[in-house]
Each structure stands twice: as C-alpha cells, then as structure tokens.
Amino acid sequence: MNDFLIRGTLADVDPDVAELIRHEHARQLDKLIMIASESYVPAAVREAEGSVFQNIYAEGYPHADMHGLSEAEILDYESQLTFYRRNGDRRYYKGVEYCNLIEALAQRRGAEVFCPPGMTPEELFVNVQPLSGAVANAAIYEALVQPGDTVMTLDLLHGGHLSHGSPVNVTGHRQRIVHYRVNEETELLDYEEIYELAQREQPKMIIAGYTSYPWAPDFHKFRAIADSVGAYLLADIAHTAGMAAAGVYPNPVGVAHVTSFTTHKTMMGPRGAVIITTDPELAKRIDRAVFPGLQGGPNINKIAGMAVMFKLAKTPQFKALQQQIAKNAVALSDGLKANGLRVVHGGTNTHMVLLDCKSIAQHDGVPLMGNVASRILDLIGIVCNRNTIPGDKDAGRPSALRFGTPWVTQRGLKEEDMREIADVIALVLKTAKPYTTPTKKSVAYTARVDFDALMEGVARINALVAKAGRDFDLPHEGYPFVWYAVNGQGPGIGHQGPEDRGRGTEVRDRGSEVASRIEVSGAQAAAFLSVVLGIDVNTLADGAAVTVLGRNRAPLCVATLARTKDGYALDAPANQASRVTQWLRALSDGYVIFDDADLSADIPGPVVVRLVAGRP
Ligand code: DSN
C-alpha cells in the first residue's frame, strides 16, 4: 500500500496492549464487581464509542432548529443534509453533518427517556457533551451561581460528592459551601433540619443526589425548600439515572431546575455525563458553560455511544434489569444484617449498600476499617470500595465499604446469590483480627484473617462467578489474579497459571508419596522462606529437609529445599502442594494470620509462588 494508514488489528499492531486488555476483561468477568458506580457497558455501546466519530472535531452544537425534532425527522438524511447545506449549524468546523445528527439523536432519545408525565420531549433541553460528572457539575455551578453565593450540599463524609463543593474541587473554590448532614440517630435525611439550615444560610443553589447515601431523596420536598429561599435545585442522579429512567427511582426532571447524571453507572453507557433542564434560559447558560466555558471539542464518539445507551434504556429488558438491581441491593442489605453486621443508613432502596466495618471485627480495641476490608474482599473476588460514613472524621480513613449491585445483576445474579455474597463477606471478615502499624505521621489500620475462611470465600465466590453470565469467551491462560486457584484443587474454577495448567490430575493421581515442586522467587524469597520455614535458608544446603510452618507455626508440611536460578524450590508431597502453594501466596499477600500473638510480625515479601510440576 502506498499510504501511511496503519492497518491491522490491535493484536497485530500492539500485542502488548491487546494482552493487557484481555487481562482486564478477564478480571472483569472472573470477579464479582460490586463497585456501585460501575457497570458492564454493552458491546454495542462500546462499538459506537470506538467508531470513526472519534476522528472529528465539532466545537459547538447542532443547529438550534434541530431541537424538538422527532427521531424519524432526525434520521431523514435527505432533508437533514439539505437543511445543513443551506443553514449550517452552530459549530466551528465543517464536516459535521452526521455529527449533528448523532448529537441530535442522543439528545432526543435522552429527552424521551427522562420526559416526566405531563411534559413532552420537546420541553426538555439535553446537553450530552460533558466529559464527566464532575465537569457537568462544574458547568452547572458556572451557569447558575455567582462567586460568593452560598451553595448547600450534603457533607462528603455523609454521602455527598467531591463535585458538590468539596474544598479540594473547583466547585468548592468560588462559592460559600454549607453542608447539610444526615440525622445523627436515624442516619437519614431530615427535611426539617435541611429546611431550617436553608432559612439560616439562604443558599442560591441546593444539591440533592448522592454518591454514597443509599436512599432516594424526596425531590419535591427539596424543591419546596429551594423555592422557600429562592434557590435553584440541582438533582445529581449520577448513580441512579438508570433507575430513574426505568421508574424505580424518582425522576427529578421537571421537579429540579437542573438534573445532571453520568452515563456510565446505572445508565450502562459510555463514560460521560448529561445535563437536563426544562428551562430554556437555563439551557442556554448551561450550554455556554459546557462549551466554550469548560470544554473544547466534544467527544462525538461518546455521544454516539450515548445514543445507543438511550435506545437500550427504553427497552423492557432495561426496566427489568433496574428493578432487579434494586431487589438485589435489598437482598444484600438483608443478608448482611442477618449475619449481624451493621448496614449504614438502615438499608437501601437504590443499588447501593454501605457496610460499617467497625461492626464486623475489633481486636484489642482496634476496629476493622474500610481500606483493609476492601483489599481482603478483592482477594476472594469481590471488588468494592472503601467509603466514609457518618461518624468518620477523615475522608482518608473510611470505616465502611460500599457495594453496588448493577454489574452482578447484569450478569444474572439474583436475591439468593446476594445472600450468599453477604454470607461470604461475613464469613471472611468476621475472622479478621485488626491491628495498627506505625506510619510517618500516625498509624495505618490493617488486619489479618483466617486462611481457611479466606480459601472458603474464594471457592464460594468462584462458584458464583461460574454461574454468572459472560458475554465473551476468553481463553483463560494464566491470568495472574486467579492467584489462589492452583492445579484444579481447592478454590478456583479451573483457571490456572500457565505453569499449573494440565498438571492437576497428573499430580493428584500420583498420590502423596511423590513430590510437586513449588518455586518461590523474587528479591525477598530468602527472607520470606526463612520466616515461613523457621530457619535461615542461607544456612541450608540443597536437599535439606524443611518444614513449612502454618498458623502459629504449627507444622504444615515437610518438604525438600533446592535453589533455582531466581530463588528457591520446595519439593512437597503432591497431595499437599496445592494447599501449601495457596498458603505461601496468602502469606506473601499479607492478609492471613501467621502468628496470633504477633499479628504485625513482618513476613518479608512479596514473593512469586509457582506450582511448577509433579516430580517423580
Ligand atoms: N467515582 C464515583 C463514585 O464511585 O461514586 C463518583 O464520581
């Protein structure tokens, strides 16, 4: 070819990046993702995002006359192209005739999805250009309030969002921010308190809608409070827009002056955001604030993805999904409570559940905290995030976990599965022994759990993963995060490291009198093994008999030590090798109890542990 176009697939052009994407995809399918703000975006949406709309610049907006066109009118190419040639649009570049259509289509579909009863889609003004929720909210601040105005938002520690006026975000820089909080006893929004605060503080804007408060607010009550002081009401339904679209969460459009939401959470669309208002004057101010106020060229490829997303949001399947998401969150909350754990704010009617880790385990007065709890759950295949809750003093030291049910519901899991997840969370985290370690400025909260409970957790979550739907068959060849699954034994759904593959049966069949080789490598290998074997390995010759120590240094298994080119090898009885491998991997990760009397005893690491082969 006599040109400079780069042809070929990603795998041809850059196999390393292609491989990384495969790893990430496998991670997403082989774990239960319970990050409340994430979802699995359908391939159709991703295809639109990856389209050639990526290639163009389109600063500005479609022609104002396109507002209010029906979908059929927008997709009438002949009429639209003649209109474009004669009238142009509100953009700075040519070459945007199809871009106008895709943006108008996304706007129209968005207006139809969020049109409240008694209104028509033509009465909604939909800006689909914000690149993220934070940018959308910054644009709304820019459009609606002046420097020095007061804005009233929920305290970040109680469930508010960074872009609602946190001092570390631009929305906290130019306005005076006052926070309402949840009621101390009920942990619920208290509308009387919010009303009184509004009377005292006279805000120009009030924000309702949250990032970690699990109950739907009453937007009508908020609007009445806003009206009582002449404030704008902004409804930020970033988390819950999909539920609002499906009618399982109140739709604030037409109640709030402005509604914003991200498109990649329960909407299951591209990463971006939307702003909707029913006020034409506010719409103009918002459009100007987004472009040219805060952004340059819009990502038209994302807008194409949003058009597909809004189409999907109108389907019965989407509605059923959102209903199930809400039911699953209630089942998860009930399951955690049934295990004696404290669900913050008393429960949920959204997609989100907050779990107070302090209620799960304490040891010598040290509570279990969110960060370490999230790391431990990640090890067993539950991905969630640490979160602040009322009572926390510091956003950097949250005492809770936040779980969301969108992704697991998309994969077909139901209420009974949520109860199983709750049981597994309780099983593993109840064995935690929290402790602190000193840091430069204060202490870090950490914890260790029981190895057997951890392994049972891995097995039970893997069973749910095996049951969950997948849209894509990936060849599972040694994705390293399936760290505890070895030789087809113990936890795991059969995904093994490349070195482990195909050898499980062989090793098992040989029985206990033959050995399997476990390699331990990495810079810390000698120091690690010296602790785990209870003897300085530098003093040992190849072929020395050693004892792998278990919890509280009880003998776990006898093995033979050898040196390898990058570390050491333990030849252990074949029928114990999987277990020993899992134990060594868990010790290297650092969250299982080795010594009950000295939880913080440092086990050097990390080390790479491979189960290489059966050896005669
Ligand atoms: N990061 C999002 C969340 O997890 O809630 C909000 O921006």
Side-chain angles (χ1 to χ4, degrees):
M1 294 282 176
N2 191 24
D3 61 35
F4 299 98
L5 297 168
I6 310 293
R7 294 182 177 80
T9 65
L10 180 61
D12 298 331
V13 173
D14 191 338
D16 296 325
V17 170
E19 179 64 3
L20 263 171
I21 292 170
R22 258 172 16 108
H23 281 281
E24 172 58 16
H25 200 171
R27 181 195 70 84
Q28 294 183 10
L29 296 178
D30 280 353
K31 289 195 171 186
L32 296 183
I33 313 283
M34 302 194 76
I35 304 278
S37 48
E38 292 181 2
S39 58
Y40 191 81
V41 176
V45 174
R46 303 203 307 269
E47 191 178 332
E49 275 194 275
S51 70
V52 290
F53 273 123
Q54 140 75 35
N55 295 343
I56 63 173
Y57 255 116
E59 277 106 326
Y61 292 100
H63 198 290
D65 285 0
M66 294 185 84
H67 177 82
L69 294 184
S70 70
E71 185 162 333
E73 287 167 330
I74 294 165
L75 295 177
D76 177 351
Y77 288 86
E78 273 194 328
S79 303
Q80 289 304 328
L81 295 181
T82 51
F83 178 90
Y84 171 77
R85 286 193 293 271
R86 186 173 175 94
N87 300 305
D89 52 25
R90 296 181 290 167
R91 305 217 196 245
Y92 289 81
Y93 293 77
K94 299 318 294 174
V96 289
E97 51 268 52
Y98 297 108
C99 159
N100 286 339
L101 301 190
I102 197 72
E103 183 161 349
L105 187 66
Q107 290 174 304
R108 174 67 191 196
R109 288 179 176 171
E112 287 174 1
V113 167
F114 284 93
C115 187
M119 295 189 86
T120 60
E122 296 76 46
E123 293 174 85
L124 273 59
F125 296 86
V126 183
N127 190 310
V128 291
Q129 293 196 4
L131 297 173
S132 71
V135 174
N137 286 345
I140 294 165
Y141 270 67
E142 184 71 11
L144 267 55
V145 287
Q146 300 298 315
D149 282 355
T150 297
V151 176
M152 217 170 104
T153 77
L154 182 62
D155 191 328
L156 183 66
L157 295 175
H158 289 207
H161 191 249
L162 210 65
S163 67
H164 295 179
S166 159
V168 297
N169 183 264
V170 67
T171 53
H173 292 176
R174 293 195 297 172
Q175 280 76 27
R176 178 178 160 264
I177 308 296
V178 293
H179 288 306
Y180 56 95
R181 297 183 171 80
V182 297
N183 181 283
E184 270 182 26
E185 276 172 27
T186 63
E187 294 186 324
L188 300 176
L189 294 176
D190 182 329
Y191 292 94
E192 279 180 25
E193 280 181 20
I194 296 168
Y195 174 84
E196 281 163 20
L197 187 67
Q199 304 312 307
R200 275 201 309 279
E201 301 291 351
Q202 294 292 307
K204 289 284 187 287
M205 182 163 77
I206 299 176
I207 304 181
Y210 313 105
T211 194
S212 58
Y213 177 76
W215 298 100
D218 185 329
F219 291 114
H220 288 279
K221 283 189 181 160
F222 267 109
R223 176 66 193 249
I225 293 170
D227 285 347
S228 75
V229 292
Y232 289 118
L233 175 62
L234 164 60
D236 179 347
I237 55 167
H239 268 263
T240 46
M243 307 180 91
V248 293
Y249 182 91
N251 178 9
V253 173
V255 182
H257 295 92
V258 179
T259 298
S260 68
F261 57 89
T262 48
T263 46
H264 46 273
K265 298 188 175 100
T266 49
M267 284 303 294
M268 292 152 194
R271 303 196 74 80
V274 169
I275 304 173
I276 302 180
T277 180
T278 51
D279 180 329
E281 281 313 306
L282 287 186
K284 283 185 198 147
R285 280 151 62 180
I286 288 165
D287 282 354
R288 276 197 301 275
V290 173
F291 172 82
L294 282 161
Q295 293 184 181
N299 290 0
I300 298 297
N301 53 319
K302 286 188 181 195
I303 291 173
M306 283 184 196
V308 181
M309 167 196 80
F310 282 130
K311 182 180 171 106
L312 294 174
K314 291 197 250 177
T315 60
Q317 190 191 14
F318 186 84
K319 186 169 182 157
L321 163 65
Q322 300 292 339
Q323 286 166 339
Q324 189 63 44
I325 286 173
K327 285 186 202 162
N328 279 355
V330 171
L332 179 68
S333 166
D334 289 348
L336 293 168
K337 286 183 201 171
N339 277 288
L341 311 187
R342 192 178 92 80
V343 171
V344 191
H345 306 284
T348 181
N349 64 358
T350 61
H351 62 305
M352 180 191 292
V353 177
L354 286 130
L355 172 63
D356 184 353
C357 296
K358 303 187 297 300
S359 75
I360 306 176
Q362 306 244 351
H363 179 68
D364 285 346
V366 178
L368 183 66
M369 296 295 271
N371 185 22
V372 67
S374 69
R375 291 188 189 197
I376 291 166
L377 292 186
D378 193 32
L379 295 180
I380 65 167
I382 297 176
V383 186
C384 63
N385 69 281
R386 61 184 190 258
N387 219 98
T388 60
I389 51 172
D392 285 347
K393 301 280 178 279
D394 173 1
R397 191 172 283 174
S399 69
L401 292 174
R402 186 185 67 166
F403 299 94
T405 51
W407 194 315
V408 289
T409 309
Q410 283 179 286
R411 297 186 66 188
L413 299 187
K414 297 278 186 326
E415 287 95 322
E416 65 270 21
D417 306 311
M418 300 304 118
R419 283 189 285 273
E420 169 70 355
I421 292 171
D423 289 349
V424 172
I425 291 169
L427 165 82
V428 175
L429 293 185
K430 275 183 176 178
T431 71
K433 287 195 167 178
Y435 62 100
T436 57
T437 56
T439 62
K440 271 187 197 155
K441 288 191 183 158
S442 93
V443 291
Y445 284 79
T446 184
R448 291 179 184 270
V449 294
D450 176 61
F451 172 66
D452 291 329
L454 190 78
M455 289 301 110
E456 185 180 337
V458 172
R460 286 168 66 176
I461 294 305
N462 274 343
L464 287 177
V465 166
K467 181 178 168 188
R470 325 164 68 86
D471 75 327
F472 201 87
D473 275 331
L474 287 165
H476 288 285
E477 289 186 355
Y479 291 101
F481 58 85
V482 194
W483 187 227
Y484 297 110
V486 289
N487 257 344
Q489 294 183 2
I493 49 175
H495 309 330
Q496 301 149 13
E499 69 285 352
D500 299 337
R501 292 178 73 238
R503 298 187 177 108
T505 313
E506 182 194 356
V507 171
R508 274 203 302 273
D509 287 348
R510 284 194 192 136
S512 60
E513 68 281 6
V514 291
S516 277
R517 171 154 284 203
I518 303 164
E519 287 182 354
V520 179
S521 61
Q524 299 286 325
F528 172 85
L529 281 176
S530 295
V531 173
V532 175
L533 303 178
I535 183 165
D536 182 351
V537 289
N538 294 311
T539 65
L540 298 176
D542 276 11
V546 289
T547 304
V548 179
L549 303 176
R551 183 166 176 171
N552 294 327
R553 298 186 171 77
L556 188 68
C557 152
V558 175
T560 307
L561 185 79
R563 283 176 180 72
T564 64
K565 65 177 178 351
D566 57 358
Y568 295 84
L570 296 170
D571 291 317
N575 62 352
Q576 295 180 41
S578 290
R579 192 78 175 159
V580 172
T581 302
Q582 288 161 344
W583 170 243
L584 296 180
R585 288 176 175 180
L587 285 177
S588 165
D589 288 347
Y591 301 100
V592 289
I593 300 169
F594 182 61
D595 184 345
D596 283 271
D598 186 7
L599 292 167
S600 62
D602 191 29
I603 300 179
V607 292
V608 174
V609 183
R610 290 192 203 95
L611 181 56
V612 286
R615 284 163 58 84

